[in-house]
């Protein structure tokens, strides 16, 4: 265990999360995330959002919590917030295909088609597998934008 001073220093520098600082066991964090996911499954998005916002505060280094917050905002049609949350997830994990795909879809919804195409291309590049459902969705949405642009030029 690090000394108290070293622990405070690591926390203040951002190297250690609040959950680590307070010695929250990973199992507790996992159970909280499961509870939040159960609320999402029940379409109780506002309640799930509270849980995942708390988790994101407790562990600021966890991209998954930010991705879920993006997903909640996207389901609530708050595309600007969703874009911000997916962007945060991507800062924490630059190769997260679901965040690129979902952010691209939100960018498309707000009319930022060039940015959406870029995100879909990132997702496709990161996952060459045809079994990746997020990469497949990125391919379909990417193709739809390009077809729409082609039809508009005719």
């Amino acid at each position: 265990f690090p000394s108290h001073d070293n622990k405070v220093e690591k926390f203040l520098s951002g190297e250690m999360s609040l959950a680590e600082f307070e010695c929250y066991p990973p199992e507790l964090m996992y159970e909280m995330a499961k509870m939040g996911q159960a609320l999402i499954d029940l379409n109780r998005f506002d309640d799930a959002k509270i849980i995942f916002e708390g988790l994101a505060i407790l562990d600021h280094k966890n991209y998954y919590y930010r991705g879920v917050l993006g997903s909640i905002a996207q389901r609530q049609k708050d595309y600007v917030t969703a874009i911000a949350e997916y962007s945060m997830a991507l800062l924490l994990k630059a190769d997260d295909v679901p965040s690129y795909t979902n952010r691209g879809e939100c960018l498309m919804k707000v009319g930022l088609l060039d940015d959406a195409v870029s995100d879909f291309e990132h997702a496709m590049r990161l996952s060459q597998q045809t079994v990746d459902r997020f990469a497949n969705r990125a391919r379909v949405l990417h193709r739809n934008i390009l077809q729409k642009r082609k039809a508009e030029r005719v």
Side-chain angles (χ1 to χ4, degrees), residues 25-42:
E27 298 81 16
L28 176 63
M29 302 289 284
Y30 178 73
E31 288 302 317
M32 289 171 63
K34 276 180 34 180
M35 185 184 313
Q37 185 58 54
L39 291 168
I40 290 171
D41 294 343
L42 294 171

Side-chain angles (χ1 to χ4, degrees), residues 75-92:
R75 288 176 185 210
Q76 294 180 314
K77 299 185 182 344
D78 182 357
Y79 300 116
V80 173
T81 299
I83 291 166
E85 291 294 352
Y86 291 133
S87 296
M88 181 65 77
L90 289 165
L91 285 174
L92 297 169

Side-chain angles (χ1 to χ4, degrees), residues 3-151:
S3 72
H4 182 70
D5 290 340
N6 188 27
K7 194 173 169 183
V8 170
E9 200 173 290
K10 283 184 172 192
F11 173 70
L12 292 176
S13 73
E15 188 179 335
M16 178 182 281
S17 71
L18 180 58
E20 292 167 322
F21 184 79
E22 292 292 338
C23 300
Y24 283 39
E27 298 81 16
L28 176 63
M29 302 289 284
Y30 178 73
E31 288 302 317
M32 289 171 63
K34 276 180 34 180
M35 185 184 313
Q37 185 58 54
L39 291 168
I40 290 171
D41 294 343
L42 294 171
N43 293 326
R44 292 178 51 190
F45 301 121
D46 290 334
D47 294 330
K49 180 179 173 185
I50 291 167
I51 289 174
F52 281 101
E53 284 175 337
L55 288 168
I57 290 168
L58 289 170
D59 187 358
H60 67 282
K61 300 181 291 181
N62 190 312
Y63 78 97
Y64 175 76
Y65 303 144
R66 291 294 176 181
V68 172
L69 286 167
S71 175
I72 291 169
Q74 185 175 2
R75 288 176 185 210
Q76 294 180 314
K77 299 185 182 344
D78 182 357
Y79 300 116
V80 173
T81 299
I83 291 166
E85 291 294 352
Y86 291 133
S87 296
M88 181 65 77
L90 289 165
L91 285 174
L92 297 169
K93 186 173 189 275
D95 64 349
D96 186 41
V97 174
S99 288
Y100 274 114
T101 301
N102 292 332
R103 185 176 73 176
E105 193 168 356
C106 292
L107 289 163
M108 194 173 76
K109 294 280 190 184
V110 298
L112 298 172
L113 298 185
D114 290 339
D115 293 327
V117 166
S118 177
D119 272 7
F120 297 145
E121 288 172 350
H122 264 91
M124 292 184 299
R125 235 186 339 272
L126 288 168
S127 180
Q128 300 297 326
Q129 306 167 7
T130 57
V131 294
D132 184 318
R133 69 185 178 105
F134 288 99
N136 285 341
R137 196 165 102 235
R139 286 182 189 93
V140 169
L141 293 170
H142 181 264
R143 186 174 51 245
N144 289 348
I145 289 174
L146 296 181
Q147 286 173 347
K148 183 180 177 185
R149 284 184 172 171
K150 187 176 178 181

